[in-house]
C-alpha cells in the first residue's frame, strides 16, 4: 500500500485480528517506528546499497539507500536480501550497469505496486514544478502531471498506437516531450514581441531598416499606383525618390512610411 495508509499499528492489527499481511512504504513521522533508523540520516546508511533492518512482533522495518533513502515496513517479509540493477556513474563519467544489494521486501513492493504508487513514481521522473509558497499552483501543476500520466497510460492501451514488430513501446520521456512540443506549438520568445508568430512569412519591407534615396529618374509612386488601381484613391504622382533597398519609387514621406509599416497598404 501507499505510504499515506502505512503504519505499524495498522499492520499489526491486520495481522493479529484479520490474518492479513501487508507491505508498504512508510513516512518516517509515523508512530511506533524504530526512530534510530527511521530518520533523515540514519547511521550506517550512507552509500548506495546500504540498509538497516528492525523487527517488532510480526512487522519488519527497513531503510535502504538508493538515490535517496527508501523506508518500508512489512508483515510479509523477513530480512532477506536480493539485488537490483542500477546505472552507476564511474570516475570517468561513464554510466555502467551494476548490481546493488536490495532488501527482498523492497524488490517485491516495486514489482507489485500499482495505481497511486505507480502514478507518483512516473510523475516524479520529469516533473517541471518549481518551489512556490502558493499552494494553488502546486495543486494545479500536480493535476497537469496526473493528466499527462493518465494520457500516457491510455495511449499505451490504445489498439491504434501499438508498436510494430520489433519496436519498443513509447517511453514516458518521449511522450512527455511530445506533450511539451504540442503545448508550446509555434510560440517563441523574442527581445521585443512575444506570442505566436504568423504562419505567413513577413515581408522584409516591414521588418528591416530602410532609408529613402534618389533614383535620378521619375516614375509613378508604387503606393499611389496600387491604390488607384484598386480604386482606393483618384490620383497618382510621379517621384524620383523612394526606397533603394526595395527598388520602389515612393512619395516622401507619406507613401514611404505607409509602404514600410502597413502590410495591406492598398
Amino acid at each position: 500500500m501507499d505510504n499515506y495508509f502505512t503504519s505499524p499499528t495498522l499492520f499489526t492489527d491486520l495481522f493479529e485480528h484479520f490474518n492479513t499481511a501487508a507491505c508498504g512504504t512508510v513516512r518516517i513521522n509515523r508512530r511506533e517506528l524504530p526512530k534510530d533508523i527511521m530518520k533523515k540520516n540514519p547511521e550506517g546508511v550512507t552509500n548506495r546499497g546500504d540498509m538497516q533492518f528492525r523487527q517488532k512482533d510480526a512487522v519488519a522495518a527497513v531503510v535502504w539507500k538508493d538515490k535517496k533513502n527508501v523506508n518500508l515496513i512489512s508483515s510479509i517479509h523477513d530480512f532477506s536480501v536480493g539485488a537490483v540493477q542500477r546505472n552507476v556513474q564511474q570516475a570517468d563519467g561513464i554510466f555502467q550497469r551494476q548490481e546493488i544489494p536490495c532488501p527482498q521486501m523492497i524488490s517485491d513492493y516495486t514489482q507489485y505496486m500499482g495505481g497511486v504508487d505507480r502514478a507518483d513514481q512516473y510523475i516524479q521522473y520529469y516533473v517541471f514544478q518549481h518551489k512556490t509558497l502558493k499552494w494553488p499552483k502546486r495543486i494545479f501543476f500536480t493535476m497537469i502531471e496526473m493528466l499527462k500520466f493518465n494520457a500516457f497510460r491510455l495511449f499505451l492501451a490504445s489498439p491504434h498506437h501499438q508498436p510494430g514488430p520489433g519496436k519498443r513501446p513509447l517511453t514516458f520521456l518521449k511522450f512527455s516531450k511530445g506533450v511539451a512540443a504540442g503545448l508550446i506549438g509555434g510560440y517563441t520568445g523574442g527581445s521585443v514581441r512575444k506570442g505566436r508568430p504568423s504562419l505567413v512569412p513577413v515581408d522584409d519591407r516591414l521588418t528591416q531598416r530602410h532609408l529613402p534615396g534618389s533614383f535620378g529618374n521619375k516614375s509613378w509612386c508604387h503606393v499611389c499606383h496600387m491604390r488607384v488601381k484598386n480604386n482606393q484613391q483618384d490620383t497618382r504622382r510621379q517621384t524620383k525618390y523612394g526606397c533603394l533597398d526595395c527598388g520602389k519609387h515612393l512619395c516622401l514621406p507619406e507613401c514611404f512610411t505607409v509602404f514600410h509599416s502597413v502590410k495591406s497598404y492598398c
Side-chain angles (χ1 to χ4, degrees):
M1 61 181 67
D2 183 67
N3 62 24
Y4 180 82
F5 304 98
T6 306
S7 72
T9 304
L10 174 62
F11 278 24
T12 300
D13 189 56
L14 288 173
F15 188 83
E16 293 181 354
H17 298 94
F18 299 95
N19 196 29
T20 300
C23 175
T25 54
V26 65
R27 301 179 182 181
I28 60 176
N29 60 353
R30 296 291 192 193
R31 295 181 179 180
E32 305 297 332
L33 288 175
K35 297 302 181 183
D36 60 328
I37 65 170
M38 294 295 179
K39 58 183 180 180
K40 189 174 182 180
N41 296 306
E43 294 182 6
V45 184
T46 55
N47 300 319
R48 204 169 193 177
D50 290 345
M51 64 192 78
Q52 291 285 346
F53 291 94
R54 296 293 185 271
Q55 180 87 32
K56 182 179 179 181
D57 298 329
V59 180
V62 65
V63 56
W64 173 64
K65 180 75 172 183
D66 194 12
K67 283 187 176 181
K68 57 183 181 180
N69 289 349
V70 180
N71 303 284
L72 188 140
I73 62 174
S74 173
S75 57
I76 304 173
H77 301 85
D78 53 18
F79 294 172
S80 300
V81 176
V84 294
Q85 291 190 343
R86 293 288 188 270
N87 286 325
V88 179
Q89 188 174 13
Q90 307 301 311
D92 55 2
I94 299 177
F95 285 86
Q96 286 187 349
R97 200 76 169 167
Q98 292 185 0
E99 283 195 351
I100 303 295
C102 176
Q104 190 61 43
M105 65 177 75
I106 292 181
S107 298
D108 290 345
Y109 174 82
T110 304
Q111 179 180 356
Y112 295 108
M113 72 177 183
V116 174
D117 285 342
R118 188 67 68 185
D120 289 343
Q121 179 186 14
Y122 273 78
I123 285 174
Q124 294 301 318
Y125 282 159
Y126 314 112
V127 65
F128 60 88
Q129 291 191 41
H130 297 280
K131 289 184 177 180
T132 176
L133 297 178
K134 298 181 179 179
W135 61 266
K137 286 187 176 181
R138 291 187 61 86
I139 293 178
F140 174 77
F141 287 114
T142 299
M143 292 177 66
I144 294 293
E145 291 284 357
M146 293 172 64
L147 288 171
K148 185 179 70 173
F149 174 71
N150 290 340
F152 172 67
R153 298 294 295 180
L154 290 173
F155 185 90
L156 294 182
S158 170
H160 303 291
H161 299 97
Q162 297 301 317
K167 294 185 178 180
R168 300 178 61 183
L170 181 71
T171 64
F172 190 53
L173 175 59
K174 290 185 178 180
F175 183 83
S176 299
K177 288 182 177 180
V179 171
L183 291 175
I184 293 171
Y187 285 94
T188 181
S191 58
V192 179
R193 185 177 179 182
K194 296 182 179 180
R196 186 184 294 272
S198 174
L199 299 178
V200 180
V202 180
D203 293 337
D204 291 341
R205 65 182 176 87
L206 300 175
T207 58
Q208 299 182 2
R209 185 180 182 184
H210 299 266
L211 297 175
S214 175
F215 287 96
N217 62 311
K218 285 189 174 183
S219 182
W220 296 112
C221 169
H222 176 72
V223 173
C224 292
H225 174 74
M226 295 303 296
R227 286 184 169 178
V228 170
K229 184 177 179 180
N230 293 318
N231 298 320
Q232 293 187 7
Q233 68 183 45
D234 297 326
T235 61
R236 57 182 179 177
R237 292 172 290 180
Q238 287 190 336
T239 178
K240 66 177 182 179
Y241 301 103
C243 180
L244 299 179
D245 293 329
C246 299
K248 302 291 185 181
H249 285 74
L250 299 165
C251 299
L252 297 180
E254 295 84 6
C255 292
F256 184 91
T257 302
V258 169
F259 181 77
H260 292 104
S261 59
V262 180
K263 184 175 183 180
S264 301
Y265 56 86
C266 59

